[in-house]
Amino acid sequence: MDNRIKQMTDYLPTCMGEGLYRYRGNLKKKRRGSKSCILIKNQEKIGGGVKLLNKQQYNNLNVNYYKIIFKSLLLFVIAGMMLVYNTGLANADSTTANTAAAATNVNTNTKKTIKIAAVTSQQVISKAKKALKKISGKLTAKKIFKSSSTLFVVNKNLISNTVETGGGAVQALTEAPGINVAGYSPNSGLGRSQITMRGVKVGWSSATTNPELNGIQILFDGIPMNNLDGGSGSWDSNELPIAQFISGINVIYGPANPNTRWWDSLGGTINFIPVQPTMKMYNKTNLLVGSFDTYTLSDILSTGMHDGWGGVVAAGYSHADTFRTGQFNAPGHAYEFFGKIIKIFNGNSFSVGALDSRDKQYRPNDIPVSPVQGLTTQGLYPATPANATLYSQQTSGFYSSLPENVWFKQLTVDNLLVYSKLNLNLSPNFGLHTEVWYKYLHRLHNRISNFDVPDGQGASGEYWHPVNYALGERLSFDWKIPNNDLKFGEYYIWSDVNYDNSFYPYSVYGPFNPNNYQGNNGTGSIQYNDYSSFFIQDRLSLLNNKLKITPGVDYVGYGDNYTYNNNLGVFPALSYTNLKSEMFRLEPTIGVNYLLFKNLSLYGQYSISYQNPTSGIFQGLYNHIYNEKTTTSNVQPMQSIDGEIGFKILIKRNRYLHHFIFNANYFQDSIGQQPQTLFISNLVPPYYGDLYVSYDTSYYNGVSIYAGDNPFNNLHVYADYTKQAETYKTFLNGNNLSYNGYPISQSPTSTFNSDISYIISTNSSTYKFKLWDQYMASQYLFNSNTDSPTNQTMPAYNILNASINLKTISLDNMIPGLKTADLTLSVYNLLNKEFNSTEYISSGGYFGTPQGGYIIANPGAPRMFFISATMKF
């Protein structure tokens, strides 16, 4: 009788609430775990383990579940009765025993049917999940551990620091080792910022700095966003104003392998990965409000997967006033939309995505650190009252800004990116991947300054609105053969930058009206650029897969074609001609990763890469430099010789460590043939003066360490430290003076980040307490007065931030469809430290003073408070 009872009940689900729903931060699962048998119908014993089927799998099994459930309940009742009466009835009722045995045989066959259906459904789900994971491209700890490059992923936990303090997507990069984000709105996604990684830069901070301003490749969902012409930092950070849409950021340090390298990857590659389609449907709405009239409203909707189709849509709006004090609040706002549709078929995938963003902001002006004689809050003396307050951080206030009628600048960025991806498994070991994209970018700079001219006698102005179009395609293959992982392919991109109808002088006396400088009256140019790449790389696995060697080579080509319109005649001293040049180079790479122990790997990489000359050497008003100082034959692409060595540790779980990651590396990079456009102001307005180009060589080296772990289930810790040095091997300024050995400007000599969070859980809620600290060491200043680097530094600064988060399911019964609700209170710059994000030594041209040599700065934000509420349905 005992055996028959065991047979009848063996396949029945065991009510193991704690075992099946062990708490891992999911409040829904914890709550369900306390109700041990509520989901009993969705459990099936497969392969010796307990398998939980979701509702979609449950409905797709094509089995009569009502009959199974009825029989299971009936057998459960019978088994219970037999357990109670086992002793007395064991030999008294053979008929009941035979019936039970027959029922057991019937349900055993039913069990087999369920098993087959469950396995089939699970295979379909697994393929879809695998395809979705592959499409996202987010770096995993395992991929980082096995790579021959230094890699890092800014995950959701680190991105939340930015989301909770009102920042944009770019601000999240400050959580990565050795990266600094600086600008006039360094805490907000609405303003333009410059990214510095290992001394190399991309973007624009409005501070004069070293020549390499577009040495980092920016990607969105794997699609390139940089401009080929390289002007003004190549990419505007406020093209991605809303951080809520970003699910992760892949950071590749250095040029790395040809398969992941692009035309601006000299210093590294950064991939902003947006939210992706998911297996299950959800809707998440977030509202953030904070200091200085900051508010952001965003919504993300994932359709879930239906017959292989899935999609995600995200839309948001953000607004903020400046934290600068004064009569004008300099408002800014941005719209952003993202959508992606995917079709998964037989493990293959096809997707179409689109990003549309529009950012408009009145940016605050730079401010002198110390008072300058005659420079007041109302303009230059004697054009202003004699008793006007001197304008500087020391006299008018650390965060003070000028009135709108004295100085204003409006910046607009209108960005559209449309792309598609196709991933095909042509065979189990051979895959094809394609990407096609189109990018449109319109920028507008509208500035009027009455600061440096007498009232009513004119103004200086800027009306600059280039339009950029880009088309690109990429085709690549991966072929896995014994002990080899071969990747090869090509990509090509074509770009058109139209500067026509733009007016961009430093100063023009007389009544200023932007409409006067449109049409054929504008100093304009149309620039066509193209870039091509043909690459191949292999990863050889030797010594029982412990040693992996990755050699590769990339053959790249740059095409530059410039056509100029010089109908204005505002700059008659400058000569313009049409230019056309082509440059081709071979880029070799070798990488090694050796698994010394199970959890410890050694790695290293060496590469040579090139980049199209930047710093405006071919562009617009600088064109005469090309004719006077250079020729087509001696203009060469910049060359980077990069190397790094290090070791990595990855421990998923042992007695003391849980999900432990550690990376330590030494890096060095030499970048030569960097064109530096220099201005020597020796002519009177309206001319720029004499322009000069210097070809410089810079050297970067340093060490970087990062580590993270969950020492307890409810405690997470992370820290990173980078120490670096950047110097010019050669540097000649416009007066032909040598500054060899001087440090590179606007790059922290060291950075340090730390992050600690602690979770307290209850039956229906979790409380998360978090502190994170960011330290930026001193940075060297550039002197625009002498067009040279200096040994003078700006002060280091340290920013401590904090947040308290409540995540609960207790509101589920009050709001239909609600799954979880989050409420976060955050404080940025908890200790209210005064610091400057950027500083440089002015030539006097910014404010129109007769003398230069004084420091002007962009201050960082003071203490700010934010409240964020997120509801997930």
Side-chain angles (χ1 to χ4, degrees), residues 468-520:
N468 174 240
Y469 305 91
L471 288 169
E473 59 81 23
R474 188 178 192 271
L475 173 65
S476 63
F477 301 87
D478 55 73
W479 186 16
K480 294 183 179 180
I481 54 179
N483 299 322
N484 291 268
D485 185 0
L486 191 65
K487 299 181 185 297
F488 57 94
E490 57 80 30
Y491 71 87
Y492 176 80
I493 183 170
W494 175 89
S495 174
D496 170 356
V497 184
N498 191 337
Y499 287 97
D500 257 349
N501 306 325
S502 289
F503 176 69
Y504 193 36
Y506 277 154
S507 60
V508 171
Y509 292 97
F512 181 82
N513 184 348
N515 294 326
N516 294 338
Y517 303 99
Q518 296 187 22
N520 290 330

Side-chain angles (χ1 to χ4, degrees), residues 321-433:
D321 291 346
T322 180
F323 56 82
R324 302 283 294 275
T325 58
Q327 301 174 12
F328 184 45
N329 60 357
H333 67 268
Y335 304 88
E336 185 173 357
F337 168 84
F338 169 70
K340 187 172 184 178
I341 300 174
I342 185 171
K343 170 63 176 178
I344 295 176
F345 52 99
N346 300 325
N348 306 307
S349 65
F350 174 74
S351 61
V352 177
L355 170 71
D356 187 16
S357 63
R358 181 177 176 84
D359 184 285
K360 186 175 183 179
Q361 183 194 41
Y362 288 91
R363 64 144 299 180
N365 54 273
D366 290 6
I367 179 173
V369 172
S370 303
V372 178
Q373 186 64 37
L375 200 163
T376 75
T377 56
Q378 300 300 316
L380 290 179
Y381 181 80
T384 57
N387 61 350
T389 303
L390 291 177
Y391 183 55
S392 72
Q393 289 183 325
Q394 296 178 6
T395 52
S396 57
F398 191 84
Y399 300 106
S400 60
S401 60
L402 295 171
E404 182 183 8
N405 63 343
V406 175
W407 191 97
F408 89 85
K409 185 172 185 177
Q410 185 184 67
L411 301 176
T412 300
V413 173
D414 192 359
N415 172 60
L416 174 65
L417 177 66
V418 181
Y419 60 95
S420 68
K421 298 181 181 182
L422 176 66
N423 298 290
L424 291 178
N425 297 316
L426 302 179
S427 75
N429 298 318
F430 193 75
L432 176 148
H433 314 279

Side-chain angles (χ1 to χ4, degrees), residues 829-848:
N829 194 357
L830 181 64
L831 303 180
N832 201 26
K833 294 286 188 179
E834 291 184 347
F835 68 99
N836 286 328
S837 178
T838 68
E839 290 184 8
Y840 74 95
I841 301 173
S842 173
S843 63
Y846 188 91
F847 290 106

